[in-house]
Amino acid sequence: MRTQVGIVGAGPAGLMLSHLLHLRGIDSVVIERRSRDYVERRIRAGVLEQGSVDLLRDSGLGDRLTREGSRHEGIELRFAGEAYRVPMTELTGRAITVYGQQEVVKDLISARIAAGGRIVFEVDDVGLHGLDTSTPVIRFRQGGHDVELHCDFVAGCDGSHGVSRGSVPGGVLTSYERAYPFAWLGVLAAAAPAVKELVYANHERGFALYSLRSPEVSRLYLQVDPDEQLDEWPDERIWAELRTRLETVPGWSVNAGPILEKSITPMRSLVVEPMQWERLFLAGDAVHIVPPTGAKGMNLALADVALLGDAFAAWYADGRDDLLRDYSRTALRRVWRAQHFSWWMTSMLHRLDSHDPYEVQLQLSTLRYVATSRSYATSLAENYVGLPEV
Ligand code: RFL
Ligand code: PHB
């Protein structure tokens, strides 16, 4: 097989890159370890920044997003028995849209397939070769056969457990990392959300988040210990804990319902630099990870490939390599802004390891500062909705 850009991974990054390249007349092939059904059902993020919504709409993927996504103009912070609404749109003129990541993935896959795009699912033993030549090759197995995909460039969009980053020789990349002493237990529930906007709660028993997917489906998260097992969390225990952490304002209650899905995700921050080596370009979770508290992961993945799409277009249309050369430096500016914001939100809202009383007071003071200072609230809001320039 031969293509111009070989893309490893059919998550938001890889699929969006393939779509953007197609709009510019550049051929690509996406290879994916999992089945189509699996990637379309994988429940993850839910918050799209305004810039991500604009990117989806401007590239012709706005129909279902406009019909089914819900625009949110604020979020609520709960702490110490108080509730404060951050009026994001009033403060920034921008908004977020709640639309499940798997819906974005479904829209992208159907657009690629409708346009005759090639996505090879259920591949194995993926290896990247000749990345420091002008003729890289991706080798993999599919349906019992060995396949070679010859390309001009490789885009490593294979997420946090992919192979792309590990294909760069030792000593080239620098990693910056932070592990957090907690994880998120996430549930999807067939229950009408008791909230109109997302609620982020700082509670002495740990963080909780009330989010939603539709008028009938709620998405909720609880901070748990990183080594906790799902079987220690029967549904009744989850609802009881959500009530304790979220029912801190009078006359309001969590709306429980059958749990459709639950999972535990460890939390970490990671940046690997640079995001390019020779003919390999890395994007999304393959090269940076944020804790989900800032709702930035999918948005960063989309922002990376928007840059990469422009850079490949300049190369193929005009033979210019300046945007490809600048890709890592440019992308890392947004990546580090999101790293700081995600770390800051995480630190402000979670019960930290030590539960040091001094740290608790700092958290509460920070939350009160957001609640009383228009400029501090604006800083949170502009990061949350996404900065146009970084
Ligand atoms: P993905 O989505 O992980 O896709 C990578 C794809 O590569 C495949 N793959 C391979 N394919 C071929 N060969 C190999 N060797 C391969 N190895 C892996 C994988 O099967 C997969 O299909 O990465 P991408 O595209 O960079 O997208 C990143 C986002 O998925 C991620 O950042 C977000 O889900 C993070 N995230 C959130 N982001 C937001 O913007 N807003 C949110 O509200 C938000 N909430 C969340 C989140 C992530 C969460 N979890 C589960 C980690 C909430 C949670 C709980
Ligand atoms: C979600 O709805 O899945 C969600 C919302 C906000 C976050 C993380 C996840 O910060």
Side-chain angles (χ1 to χ4, degrees):
M1 275 208 278
R2 144 113 219 128
T3 189
Q4 290 173 297
V5 182
I7 301 175
V8 189
L15 292 166
M16 185 55 149
L17 178 61
S18 179
H19 176 65
L20 293 172
L21 293 176
H22 163 72
L23 296 178
R24 274 115 163 189
I26 301 165
D27 189 59
S28 66
V29 172
V30 180
I31 62 165
E32 165 60 48
R33 192 165 51 136
R34 305 286 192 170
S35 67
R36 176 174 177 180
D37 191 54
Y38 184 94
V39 300
E40 289 189 344
R41 281 168 194 259
R42 191 165 43 193
I43 295 167
R44 282 192 174 169
V47 173
L48 290 170
E49 294 175 354
Q50 178 107 41
S52 302
V53 170
D54 294 345
L55 178 69
L56 287 159
R57 291 214 175 111
D58 294 347
S59 66
L61 294 168
D63 287 358
R64 204 160 67 90
L65 171 63
T66 304
R67 271 199 321 276
E68 295 176 21
S70 75
R71 181 183 149 93
H72 288 223
E73 301 197 340
I75 56 168
E76 190 180 305
L77 301 175
R78 280 188 196 172
F79 55 97
E82 295 171 37
Y84 171 71
R85 177 175 185 265
V86 183
M88 295 181 310
T89 305
E90 186 192 314
L91 295 170
T92 67
R94 293 159 77 80
I96 54 140
T97 297
V98 173
Y99 189 65
Q101 176 169 324
Q102 78 276 21
E103 308 305 328
V104 174
V105 165
K106 277 185 217 158
D107 293 347
L108 281 163
I109 291 176
S110 68
R112 288 309 298 122
I113 287 175
R118 289 181 285 174
I119 309 173
V120 188
F121 290 100
E122 297 181 77
V123 305
D124 249 323
D125 296 336
V126 176
L128 312 184
H129 306 271
L131 293 168
D132 55 349
T133 71
S134 57
T135 53
V137 182
I138 306 177
R139 296 208 178 96
F140 55 93
R141 283 185 69 76
Q142 206 253 343
H145 301 283
D146 291 321
V147 185
E148 283 197 348
L149 175 61
H150 296 259
C151 33
D152 302 328
F153 297 98
V154 176
C157 304
D158 46 357
S160 50
H161 304 293
V163 295
S164 299
R165 201 174 75 221
S167 308
V168 176
V172 172
L173 301 176
T174 305
S175 299
Y176 301 86
E177 190 161 11
R178 160 110 3 145
Y180 301 89
F182 40 79
W184 275 19
L185 166 65
V187 300
L188 193 71
V195 294
K196 293 267 176 294
E197 295 177 336
L198 275 62
V199 174
Y200 288 80
N202 170 308
H203 190 273
E204 60 191 18
R205 292 179 59 85
F207 170 73
L209 169 61
Y210 206 137
S211 180
L212 57 153
R213 285 294 179 273
S214 74
E216 300 85 34
V217 178
S218 302
R219 178 80 168 138
L220 301 113
Y221 298 96
L222 281 173
Q223 173 186 353
V224 297
D225 288 339
D227 50 6
E228 227 145 342
Q229 302 301 314
L230 271 179
D231 56 18
E232 296 165 55
W233 284 91
D235 294 4
E236 315 77 68
R237 182 177 175 207
I238 295 176
W239 289 116
E241 196 61 35
L242 284 164
R243 283 194 198 100
T244 305
R245 298 187 195 179
L246 286 160
E247 291 181 354
T248 55
V249 291
W252 179 92
S253 56
V254 169
N255 202 10
I259 290 183
L260 308 171
E261 193 258 4
K262 53 182 156 180
S263 59
I264 294 181
T265 314
M267 308 224 337
R268 64 182 178 133
S269 297
L270 170 75
V271 180
V272 177
E273 297 187 11
M275 291 167 61
Q276 178 220 348
W277 180 68
E278 303 285 345
R279 292 251 168 162
L280 172 67
F281 290 81
L282 298 163
D285 278 17
V287 67
H288 45 68
I289 296 171
V290 283
T293 329
K296 287 285 164 257
M298 169 170 52
N299 294 293
L300 278 182
L302 294 173
D304 285 352
V305 298
L307 289 176
L308 212 41
D310 287 345
F312 283 130
W315 197 84
Y316 281 107
D318 312 318
R320 275 172 44 203
D321 70 351
D322 53 332
L323 296 185
L324 282 175
R325 274 194 283 109
D326 284 349
Y327 164 69
S328 175
R329 198 172 49 79
T330 311
L332 282 165
R333 289 210 297 264
R334 178 173 297 279
V335 167
W336 276 110
R337 178 88 303 280
Q339 285 288 331
H340 173 262
F341 178 65
S342 304
W343 164 85
W344 180 78
M345 286 282 281
T346 301
S347 312
M348 176 170 75
L349 289 164
H350 290 72
R351 184 190 196 281
L352 303 173
D353 205 13
S354 52
H355 207 42
D356 174 348
Y358 179 81
E359 260 162 357
V360 174
Q361 294 306 323
L362 288 184
Q363 289 184 327
L364 294 177
S365 173
T366 310
L367 284 157
R368 284 194 193 101
Y369 189 25
V370 173
T372 51
S373 156
R374 193 174 170 89
S375 42
Y376 209 46
T378 305
S379 170
L380 187 159
E382 69 186 5
N383 278 280
Y384 195 85
V385 298
L387 292 149
E389 296 290 332
V390 277

